[in-house]
């Protein structure tokens, strides 16, 4: 019998089409396993977990009595501090009236997609949220494939091809969403690649939403350059404190609009969305964010140290894959790798594993390894996984604090892993067992 939802009738806009993601399937299974006391090596969680910097924690506590609604775009002092940060850190020419804050950059990306363009271009694989946001808004998507041979970077020729097909089939794709460094692949564009992408976008008059939430978790083997510095008139940069200062749950994000008349009109439109959807970022968080964006040398040093630890932990997992002969692009930022097991398709199928979701469940049930299927990220290949380093050996606050302390005393990467990461070493063995079983 067809189940009827009366008196709830879902609208055609987006909501009906949203699927229960495989992320939830894996996370539910992890929770079940934990509840029965089973061990899980959790590589599915994408959340930076280092402790709150004491100066920021102090600022939050000191402002706990600030309980009034604040301006929708954010306090002017905060927007001033954010503009200063983007000038210092990324050489962007930003004035405070180009800054809009929101409860996480996720909401600001949604608000920007709401305000700009009718058709949206998204590379794939890509972060889980872009496509559902665009679908919720009922806008069509043009997908641009990216490949491991190109480090999953958007190639302008492929972009051009996708645009032409799309012009032909749909009309006029106008907004390109980019992510650098990238979730799920951990890759990063070089300054030259950024430059050619910026020139391409300028030539095509494409608007760019440049999601730079991982900008300060770039590992520094490649210098980070903001799209906002290269193509200021056409780029909306989004960012926040969720990744570099591990403040995801505090919900503070920023959007930097272009320094043009149109950019300022967009800032007004975003502020209007903010006023009608979330009113403002929580008041104490805004005051604490002022300290986070102040350029305080202790906080800047802490961001760099956390990034260094992310880099060591993530690169360790990459090296495990590399040693096992698994195709995996070397990460340059964030805390992810994106290994692909297509080389073993036959062996996987012989074991009854036909999809990446089945692969993820197999790894969980048999090897206690939790990773996310690549299809969650719109992967083009069959057997990719997103593996995150952010949770393992840091599952409690005490362990996270212990790691920071240990790294302060001895920042040697090898000893840092060997002496303070028992579980990451163990999971390396489990990957080895999986590969040995697969190839036997
Ligand atoms: C690529 C990417 N963009 C944006 C976000 C959202 O960050 P927030 O809303 O916490 O600023 C995330 C968080 O997982 C992410 O991975």
């Amino acid at each position: 019998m067809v189940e009827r939802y009366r008196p709830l009738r879902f609208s055609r806009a987006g909501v009906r089409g949203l699927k229960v993601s495989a992320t939830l399937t894996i996370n539910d299974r992890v929770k079940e396993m934990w509840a029965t006391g089973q061990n899980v090596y959790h590589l599915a969680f994408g959340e930076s977990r280092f402790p709150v910097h004491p100066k920021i924690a102090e600022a939050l506590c000191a402002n706990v009595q600030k309980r009034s609604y604040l301006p929708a775009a954010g306090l002017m002092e905060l927007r001033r501090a954010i503009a200063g940060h983007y000038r210092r850190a990324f050489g962007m020419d930003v004035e405070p009236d180009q800054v809009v804050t929101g409860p996480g950059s996720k909401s600001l990306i949604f608000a920007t997609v709401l305000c700009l363009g009718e058709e949206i271009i998204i590379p794939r694989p890509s972060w889980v949220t872009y496509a559902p946001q665009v679908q919720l808004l009922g806008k069509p998507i043009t997908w641009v494939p990216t490949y491991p041979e190109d480090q999953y970077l958007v190639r302008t020729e492929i972009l051009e091809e996708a645009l032409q097909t799309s012009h032909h089939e749909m009309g006029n794709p106008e907004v390109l969403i980019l992510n650098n460094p990238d979730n799920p692949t951990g890759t990063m564009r070089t300054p030259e690649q950024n430059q050619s992408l910026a020139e391409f976008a300028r030539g095509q008059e494409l608007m760019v939403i440049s999601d730079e939430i991982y900008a300060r978790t770039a590992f520094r083997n490649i210098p980070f350059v903001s799209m906002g510095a290269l193509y200021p008139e056409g780029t909306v940069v989004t960012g926040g404190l969720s990744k570099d200062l591990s403040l995801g749950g505090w919900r503070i994000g920023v959007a930097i609009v272009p320094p043009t008349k149109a950019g300022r009109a967009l800032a007004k439109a975003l502020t209007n969305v903010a006023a009608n959807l979330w009113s403002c970022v929580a008041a104490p968080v805004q005051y604490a964010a002022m300290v986070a964006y102040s350029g305080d040398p202790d906080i800047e040093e802490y961001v760099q140290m956390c990034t260094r630890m992310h880099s060591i932990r993530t690169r360790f997992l990459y090296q495990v894959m590399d040693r096992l002969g698994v195709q995996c692009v070397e990460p340059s930022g964030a805390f992810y790798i994106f290994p692909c097991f297509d080389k073993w398709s036959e062996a996987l199928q012989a074991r009854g594993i036909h999809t990446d979701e089945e692969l993820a469940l197999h790894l969980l049930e048999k090897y206690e390894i939790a990773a996310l299927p690549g299809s969650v990220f719109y992967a083009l290949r069959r057997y990719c996984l997103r593996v995150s380093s952010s949770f393992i050996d840091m599952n409690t606050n005490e362990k996270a604090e212990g790691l920071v302390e240990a790294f302060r005393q001895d920042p040697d990467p090898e000893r840092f892993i060997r002496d303070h990461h028992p579980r990451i070493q163990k999971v390396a063995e489990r990957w080895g067992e999986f590969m040995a079983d697969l190839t036997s």
Side-chain angles (χ1 to χ4, degrees):
M1 200 182 83
V2 179
E3 194 182 344
R4 301 177 84 97
Y5 286 100
R6 298 221 161 84
L8 297 187
R9 274 172 230 132
F10 291 107
S11 73
R12 263 192 294 159
V15 183
R16 269 187 190 166
L18 288 184
K19 294 194 203 104
V20 174
S21 87
T23 321
L24 292 182
T25 318
I26 298 294
N27 281 334
D28 285 352
R29 187 69 197 109
V30 169
K31 278 186 207 143
E32 274 169 29
M33 287 171 75
W34 275 340
T36 56
Q38 286 182 73
N39 177 47
V40 179
Y41 298 100
H42 204 339
L43 304 176
F45 215 48
E47 180 181 314
S48 185
R49 297 180 49 81
F50 289 114
V52 180
H53 189 281
K55 286 188 180 172
I56 302 174
E58 209 174 283
L60 187 80
C61 296
N63 286 288
V64 74
Q65 290 295 345
K66 300 271 172 26
R67 59 196 180 282
S68 291
Y69 292 106
L70 297 180
L75 283 164
M76 190 36 94
E77 295 121 280
L78 172 60
R79 294 164 74 199
R80 222 174 268 131
I82 294 169
H85 166 79
Y86 276 84
R87 280 197 296 267
R88 277 190 311 276
F90 308 123
M92 283 166 61
D93 194 9
V94 182
E95 296 299 327
D97 65 347
Q98 286 167 251
V99 178
V100 178
T101 65
S105 59
K106 189 184 266 187
S107 42
L108 290 164
I109 295 170
F110 183 77
T112 310
V113 175
L114 171 71
C115 294
L116 293 182
E118 290 306 328
E119 297 173 20
I120 314 294
I121 310 158
I122 310 178
R124 64 190 291 186
S126 68
W127 182 43
V128 285
T129 293
Y130 304 133
Q133 286 196 345
V134 174
Q135 280 156 0
L136 277 173
L137 291 165
K139 301 190 183 191
I141 297 172
T142 294
W143 290 105
V144 178
T146 65
Y147 302 100
E149 303 81 60
D150 300 326
Q151 271 76 42
Y152 291 108
L153 303 173
V154 177
R155 281 224 323 257
T156 49
E157 311 87 82
I158 298 178
L159 188 52
E160 179 144 33
E161 221 171 89
L163 281 179
Q164 267 170 19
T165 315
S166 177
H167 279 306
H168 187 64
E169 286 175 4
M170 301 204 295
N172 186 25
E174 299 142 314
V175 182
L176 169 64
I177 303 184
L178 294 172
N179 183 206
N180 192 44
D182 182 62
N183 177 7
T185 63
T187 55
M188 221 180 117
R189 290 192 297 275
T190 64
E192 298 73 37
Q193 284 155 341
N194 254 337
Q195 185 69 48
S196 75
L197 211 46
E199 276 160 25
F200 179 84
R202 182 174 283 125
Q204 299 275 337
E205 299 188 346
L206 278 179
M207 294 178 271
V208 174
I209 299 175
S210 187
D211 176 353
E212 300 179 4
I213 191 80
Y214 294 99
R216 291 204 297 170
T217 35
F219 299 166
R220 290 179 170 235
N221 51 337
I222 298 174
F224 174 82
V225 179
S226 172
M227 261 322 243
L230 298 175
Y231 180 38
E233 74 277 23
T235 302
V236 179
V237 173
T238 58
L241 303 174
S242 300
K243 310 298 172 183
D244 47 25
L245 280 163
S246 307
L247 294 175
W250 283 21
R251 308 313 296 134
I252 166 95
V254 309
I256 312 289
V257 302
T260 56
K261 205 169 149 198
R264 287 185 166 90
L266 174 62
K268 278 205 187 108
L270 293 176
T271 306
N272 201 355
V273 175
N276 288 294
L277 278 188
W278 58 77
S279 296
C280 64
V281 173
V285 170
Q286 290 204 34
Y287 285 92
M290 261 185 237
V291 175
Y293 279 112
S294 66
D296 182 302
D298 279 358
I299 297 175
E300 299 299 301
E301 194 257 343
Y302 185 61
V303 168
Q304 283 183 26
M305 188 177 73
C306 292
T307 296
R308 187 85 191 101
M309 289 187 278
H310 282 309
S311 144
I312 293 168
R313 292 156 50 87
T314 311
R315 288 186 54 79
F316 179 83
L317 288 173
Y318 162 72
Q319 280 151 4
V320 170
M321 293 300 155
D322 196 43
R323 272 199 301 274
L324 293 169
V326 178
Q327 183 185 45
C328 186
V329 178
E330 191 169 350
S332 299
F335 20 82
Y336 311 112
I337 54 170
F338 203 64
C340 182
F341 298 84
D342 281 16
K343 205 159 108 186
W344 295 280
S345 293
E346 269 179 33
L348 286 165
Q349 282 168 47
R351 284 157 182 77
I353 300 165
H354 299 286
T355 64
D356 53 3
E357 199 172 337
E358 286 170 0
L359 172 60
L361 281 170
H362 175 77
L363 278 161
L364 188 56
E365 305 291 352
K366 200 151 176 229
Y367 303 91
E368 304 170 318
I369 299 174
L372 289 180
S375 50
V376 171
F377 302 88
Y378 307 91
L380 288 159
R381 309 227 163 173
R382 188 158 175 189
Y383 294 114
C384 295
L385 295 172
R386 194 202 67 175
V387 171
S388 167
S389 67
S390 67
F391 190 73
I392 193 151
D393 284 312
M394 270 216 288
N395 51 322
T396 63
N397 288 347
E398 293 69 36
K399 282 193 191 167
E401 279 158 23
L403 281 190
V404 171
E405 218 22 68
F407 192 73
R408 277 212 171 98
Q409 291 187 9
D410 180 5
D412 177 75
E414 240 178 85
R415 288 194 293 273
F416 184 53
I417 293 289
R418 191 193 62 204
D419 300 341
H420 304 286
H421 288 86
R423 290 178 62 75
I424 217 170
Q425 292 176 71
K426 196 78 198 146
V427 83
E429 283 172 26
R430 302 304 317 254
W431 280 112
E433 287 163 29
F434 163 63
M435 289 308 295
D437 291 350
L438 196 60
T439 49
S440 64

